[in-house]
């Protein structure tokens, strides 16, 4: 008895069994969402029935595609691995990528003075990029965006009509946190901001200012905490040393709120008995500190999924929305 060599199943055979076009099968295989639920189910059944295995190498040669996407994080490694925001957003991106035929490459670059990361990405090593946590000084990302499809996590620092981004309504979130403190009767409210070189830091401060202005209040203090625990502890110390009277603090991230709590505890100021404190993110940090943080929840995991979904749609020839803006929600706990 001789073994029979099975000819690989073709995409055309899958299309015939599914009763759809070849391009529809291609969109399903590439993870595009531009497919009706009925067609998606038909193609998946046909793939299972025929045991179809996409020939990535052949597709790459034909289309010059690498079947790889870069996640570009313009931060240093300490910040990237130390901030739970990044872990959540990467989990969301990866969850969506697992349902596609692409692999994810992580590029961490706090700056790129020698253009190493930029040159690598522009060389054709990836088909597209997701860029998160960018600053006004990160001009190298413009050169990346000029070479390939890009989706930004957060509003781009130099926004153009052609840009695609998925963001949280940070201005509304900052306003929500501040209105909550005002509603609790607080009037001497300070804020510890993120870097004002980042749209997220700017927008949360703008929301704080809007709520204070609407209530006829003047901010007790505004200090930059750099989106780090140490930076926020230093900012909190500056507020305390200035002898400014403060009865509440809006801290623009949970990680910074942890640093502010530590600085307050060192001088015997109790939260919320002596001063109320509210964070932002609803990250795991919010429930790991004492007291647990009242905070503004941003849907970071879902944001990651949508960023990946938008880029995959672009790579498949789709027309996703240029701007996707997600809502925030207030989570009440013990600190305010």
């Amino acid at each position: 008895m001789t073994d029979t060599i099975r000819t690989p199943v073709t995409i055309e055979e899958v299309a015939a069994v599914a009763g759809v076009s070849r391009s529809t099968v291609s969109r399903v295989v590439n993870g595009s969402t531009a497919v009706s639920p009925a067609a998606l189910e038909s193609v998946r059944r046909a793939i299972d029935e025929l045991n179809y295995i996409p020939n990535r190498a052949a597709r790459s040669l034909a289309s010059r595609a690498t079947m790889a996407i870069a996640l570009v994080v313009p931060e240093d490694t300490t910040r990237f691995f130390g901030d739970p925001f990044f872990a959540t957003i990467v989990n969301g991106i990866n969850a969506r990528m697992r349902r596609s035929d692409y692999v994810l490459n992580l590029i961490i670059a706090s700056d790129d003075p020698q253009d190493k990361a930029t040159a690598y990405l522009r060389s054709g090593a990836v088909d597209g990029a997701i860029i998160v946590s960018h600053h006004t000084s990160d001009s190298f990302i413009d050169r990346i965006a000029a070479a390939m499809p890009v989706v930004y996590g957060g509003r781009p620092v130099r926004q153009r009509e052609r840009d695609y981004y998925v963001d949280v309504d940070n201005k509304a979130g900052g306003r929500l946190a501040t209105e909550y403190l005002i509603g609790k009767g607080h009037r001497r409210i300070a804020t510890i901001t993120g870097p004002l070189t980042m749209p997220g830091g700017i927008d949360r401060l703008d929301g704080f200012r809007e709520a204070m202005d609407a209530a006829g209040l003047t901010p007790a203090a505004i200090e930059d905490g750099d989106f780090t625990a140490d930076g926020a502890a230093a900012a909190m110390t500056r507020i305390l040393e200035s002898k400014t009277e403060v009865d509440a603090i809006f801290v623009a991230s949970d990680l910074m709120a942890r640093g502010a709590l530590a600085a307050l505890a060192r001088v015997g100021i109790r939260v919320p008995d002596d001063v109320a404190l509210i964070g932002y993110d609803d990250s795991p940090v919010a429930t790991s500190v004492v007291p647990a943080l009242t905070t503004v929840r941003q849907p970071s995991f879902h944001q990651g999924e949508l960023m990946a979904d938008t880029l995959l749609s672009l790579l498949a020839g789709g027309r996703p929305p240029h701007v996707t803006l997600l809502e925030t929600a207030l989570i009440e706990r013990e600190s305010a």
Side-chain angles (χ1 to χ4, degrees), residues 25-226:
V25 177
S26 179
R27 285 196 292 271
V28 172
V29 168
N30 286 313
S32 171
T33 57
V35 181
S36 71
L40 178 63
E41 182 59 29
S42 295
V43 171
R44 284 177 172 171
R45 279 201 304 267
I47 287 173
D48 290 342
E49 178 184 331
L50 298 173
N51 194 27
Y52 171 67
I53 301 174
N55 187 337
R56 177 180 293 174
R59 282 165 39 218
S60 296
L61 287 171
S63 65
R64 297 181 181 270
T66 65
M67 304 311 295
I69 285 172
L71 171 58
V72 182
V73 184
E75 298 285 1
D76 59 34
T77 54
T78 301
R79 177 170 291 185
F80 177 77
F81 289 108
D83 192 332
F85 165 78
F86 291 115
T88 306
I89 216 154
V90 171
N91 281 339
I93 293 169
N94 194 48
R96 179 61 185 91
M97 292 288 294
R98 283 200 302 266
R99 304 195 302 273
S100 78
D101 206 28
Y102 285 82
V103 295
L104 186 66
N105 294 339
L106 175 62
I107 307 292
I108 302 176
S110 58
D111 53 34
D112 198 18
Q114 296 176 322
D115 266 0
K116 290 190 293 185
T118 306
Y120 169 74
L121 294 169
R122 287 171 59 92
S123 72
V126 299
D127 298 329
I130 296 169
I131 300 176
V132 300
S133 191
H134 37 289
H135 302 251
T136 53
S137 60
D138 295 327
S139 59
F140 71 94
I141 67 176
D142 294 334
R143 296 193 293 280
I144 296 170
M148 68 190 69
V150 162
V151 175
Y152 296 92
R155 175 169 55 85
V157 292
R158 289 172 289 277
Q159 186 179 345
R160 294 154 296 198
E161 286 187 9
R162 68 177 184 270
D163 289 334
Y164 291 86
Y165 69 90
V166 180
D167 200 2
V168 172
D169 193 342
N170 284 299
K171 184 181 289 188
R175 189 167 57 245
L176 182 64
T178 311
E179 288 172 346
Y180 176 84
L181 293 172
I182 294 169
K184 289 284 189 178
H186 301 292
R187 294 296 179 266
R188 300 184 301 277
I189 306 172
T191 185
I192 297 176
T193 74
L196 299 183
T197 58
M198 300 177 69
I202 295 167
D203 290 349
R204 293 174 202 182
L205 175 59
D206 285 348
F208 168 80
R209 289 186 185 277
E210 283 186 2
M212 294 292 283
D213 287 346
L217 299 174
T218 300
I222 298 173
E223 291 285 349
D224 181 356
D226 197 36

